Amino acid sequence: MMNKTVVVIGSQWGDEGKGKITNFLSEQADFVVRYQGGDNAGHTIKFDGVTYKLHLIPSGVFNPNIKNILGNGMVINPIHALQEIQALKKQGFPCNNLYISDRANVIMNYHMEIDALKEETMGEGKIGTTKKGIGPAYTDKTAREGIRIVDLVSSNFPALYQEKLKAKNELITRMGGKPIDYEASLATYLEVAKQITPYVTDTVTLLNKGIKEGKKVVFEGAQGALLDVDFGSYPFVTSSNPTSGGACTGSGVGPTKIDEIIGVVKAYSTRVGSGVFPTEFEDEISKDIRERAHEYGTTTKRPRRIGWLDCVVLKYSAMINGLTGISLMLLDILSGLDTIKLCCAYKVDGEYIDYIPADNGLLARCQPVYLEMEGWQEDITNVKSFKELPINAQRYIEKIEELIDVKVKIFSVGPDKLQTIVRENIF
Ligand code: IMP
């Protein structure tokens, strides 16, 4: 069967290289759809020698033939959206292929303020959020107190904003912050609303019509499965569902319309922010990986925590997402190591387990059980096929497939689009 709709999700803690692979797949797609999260994401895409960093805008924006949707499940900071659009326009991308869901919730200035104040007051127990207002915006959405894009661009916005801001300013003051000035901020929002109005539409109908016509769709997940509000190490998670189910609720496309679910996997592990990370290690090797792969947050610039590949995490991820294939990223970064460790189980309280417990205390006591594999010394950045890989790199890939029972359909040996090897076509 030919695939028409493909969900691309992060299988670990985000930053797996989703931007690159979505951009790669989107060359054959008619739609690229973001379905959750907001500008907490940072998707890096490199082509023609230039690096682009996107936070809100889907990765298909560079191709004028692709319709790029910011779906209803997202929380959108309209000021940041406009800044990103303006920056892209300056770089020569007109952005008239963007569609913003009228149903998406808006991240307002007060959400950012509350996010930052909350993190400050939590001290040691802080989540380590990106301070983009993601949590507070989703909180309001679920509490049915949010402002949606449709409200932002309507003539009722000033009154609605005044009412919401009054309550939020009381909260901000209680938290020790400075209240936001209504008049000054309203002027900014009115201007922004005017400028984003042309992009706002009923994306649910647009996308479903496209699918009915046989158009190809890439759903671009942000963050990763282990940051999912339901499946991650709660509360050290983001406030949305990056897992594949989120693609349906966050875009208005039914589950029966999804053909393939690709889990993007980094060849080792990283995590930004707080929370349990069983295979984390800090030594010369992790420092070297961090520098060579430039493992610093795209959005926050924080150094990322480094760990070995965790197949317990990947098996869990394969299960909750229903993965049909894997795209293995940054394999080249592991070149030059004598030994590569692969976590295949956890040992906890004298027992072996191969699942992720809900109890964070139990998870924190889990000791990774490693399989040690021989590394390879060769530079693999110019490899064009699986067979050209050093035998130990081939074995590493095959071991991952064996442990999680999902095929590695694509692998990547460098940041450029040309350094992407497809073992099985997705579209
Ligand atoms: P929030 O999404 O800003 O609320 O942050 C919640 C957690 O998710 C923090 O640990 C962040 O570091 C993490 N996070 C959010 N977005 C990303 C991302 O795009 N990549 C990696 N981690 C992320």
Side-chain angles (χ1 to χ4, degrees):
M1 186 190 69
M2 279 273 289
N3 286 323
K4 291 286 187 192
T5 57
V6 178
V7 180
V8 178
I9 61 105
S11 310
Q12 294 147 306
W13 287 272
D15 308 315
E16 298 91 351
K18 292 180 296 292
K20 170 178 166 167
I21 214 67
T22 323
N23 185 250
F24 179 81
L25 292 175
S26 69
E27 293 210 317
Q28 300 163 68
D30 303 293
F31 287 88
V32 178
V33 185
R34 276 278 311 264
Y35 57 86
Q36 47 69 233
D39 58 332
N40 48 349
H43 291 172
T44 307
I45 296 151
K46 191 171 174 189
F47 61 89
D48 299 339
V50 185
T51 304
Y52 300 92
K53 289 189 194 302
L54 300 172
H55 297 282
L56 271 168
I57 309 291
S59 303
V61 67
F62 307 105
N63 184 335
N65 301 321
I66 297 173
K67 291 185 165 62
N68 289 271
I69 291 182
L70 283 80
N72 57 277
M74 289 185 78
V75 282
I76 299 171
N77 184 323
I79 300 174
H80 294 174
L82 196 61
Q83 283 167 352
E84 215 167 302
I85 291 170
Q86 282 163 346
L88 282 163
K89 279 186 175 170
K90 258 196 204 143
Q91 287 173 299
F93 303 100
C95 290
N96 42 20
N97 53 350
L98 279 187
Y99 302 84
I100 299 178
S101 169
D102 46 8
R103 288 185 162 85
N105 267 246
V106 179
I107 296 185
M108 300 295 296
N109 45 14
Y110 49 76
H111 291 133
M112 288 188 68
E113 190 65 29
I114 292 165
D115 197 358
L117 285 168
K118 218 172 150 199
E119 285 283 287
E120 269 169 39
T121 52
M122 282 172 90
E124 279 290 292
K126 72 174 182 188
I127 310 285
T129 74
T130 58
K131 298 187 186 161
K132 299 289 177 190
I134 306 293
Y138 276 117
T139 304
D140 276 356
K141 172 181 174 174
T142 317
R144 297 158 295 187
E145 287 173 3
I147 293 180
R148 296 188 300 165
I149 292 286
V150 69
D151 306 315
L152 175 71
V153 300
S154 98
S155 57
N156 295 331
F157 176 75
L160 188 64
Y161 177 46
Q162 190 166 32
E163 174 205 319
K164 305 278 182 205
L165 187 61
K166 189 165 173 283
K168 296 297 180 190
N169 268 341
E170 282 168 18
L171 176 64
I172 289 170
T173 310
R174 271 206 308 279
M175 292 174 88
K178 232 175 86 200
I180 295 164
D181 183 73
Y182 171 70
E183 296 295 340
S185 52
L186 177 67
T188 307
Y189 279 119
L190 290 179
E191 180 54 32
V192 167
K194 199 168 92 191
Q195 295 203 43
I196 71 155
T197 297
Y199 302 105
V200 176
T201 190
D202 174 0
T203 55
V204 177
T205 303
L206 176 75
L207 182 58
N208 278 290
K209 187 167 166 278
I211 291 176
K212 209 166 182 180
E213 287 165 359
K215 299 277 195 279
K216 292 181 179 147
V217 183
V218 173
F219 294 90
E220 177 176 22
Q223 291 85 47
L226 274 289
L227 289 172
D228 188 283
V229 69
D230 283 278
F231 301 110
S233 47
Y234 191 90
F236 301 103
V237 293
T238 192
S239 297
S240 67
N241 288 118
T243 41
S244 57
C248 294
T249 52
S251 71
V253 170
T256 51
K257 301 283 189 294
I258 306 293
D259 297 329
E260 172 113 37
I261 300 164
I262 296 291
V264 186
V265 173
K266 192 181 272 193
Y268 46 96
S269 308
T270 60
R271 178 165 194 173
V272 234
S274 321
V276 184
F277 184 9
T279 64
E280 182 175 18
F281 67 102
E282 183 70 40
D283 61 11
E284 286 312 309
I285 295 179
S286 69
K287 279 186 200 142
D288 187 51
I289 289 178
R290 184 177 297 118
E291 293 318 311
R292 281 200 295 143
H294 198 71
E295 292 292 0
Y296 292 88
T298 313
T299 302
T300 58
K301 315 279 182 272
R302 290 175 288 179
R304 293 180 185 141
R305 300 155 68 192
I306 310 283
W308 295 111
L309 191 66
D310 188 335
C311 287
V312 180
V313 160
L314 294 184
K315 258 171 75 173
Y316 177 68
S317 208
M319 174 174 75
I320 59 179
N321 286 294
L323 296 187
T324 56
I326 279 177
S327 180
L328 186 68
M329 314 304 287
L330 291 126
L331 190 61
D332 53 300
I333 299 297
L334 296 183
S335 293
L337 295 177
D338 292 333
T339 307
I340 300 175
K341 294 186 186 178
L342 202 53
C343 170
C344 50
Y346 297 149
K347 192 169 183 193
V348 61
D349 304 338
E351 281 187 39
Y352 291 97
I353 61 167
D354 68 348
Y355 63 91
I356 307 280
D359 177 352
N360 284 330
L362 186 62
L363 185 59
R365 292 200 302 282
C366 283
Q367 291 299 320
V369 179
Y370 286 118
L371 196 74
E372 299 207 355
M373 301 196 62
E374 247 178 74
W376 61 92
Q377 303 306 315
E378 297 89 334
D379 172 7
I380 59 169
T381 53
N382 289 316
V383 157
K384 297 276 177 263
S385 69
F386 181 76
K387 282 205 184 86
E388 279 178 45
L389 282 173
I391 190 72
N392 287 344
Q394 293 187 18
R395 287 193 180 129
Y396 187 61
I397 292 182
E398 284 167 350
K399 191 47 113 183
I400 296 168
E401 291 180 317
E402 183 193 316
L403 287 171
I404 61 174
D405 198 22
V406 182
K407 182 165 181 186
V408 173
K409 294 188 175 175
I410 302 174
F411 67 93
S412 168
V413 292
D416 203 275
K417 208 188 282 185
L418 298 171
Q419 294 166 298
T420 314
I421 292 99
V422 178
R423 296 172 76 203
E424 187 177 312
N425 281 326
I426 306 300
F427 281 118

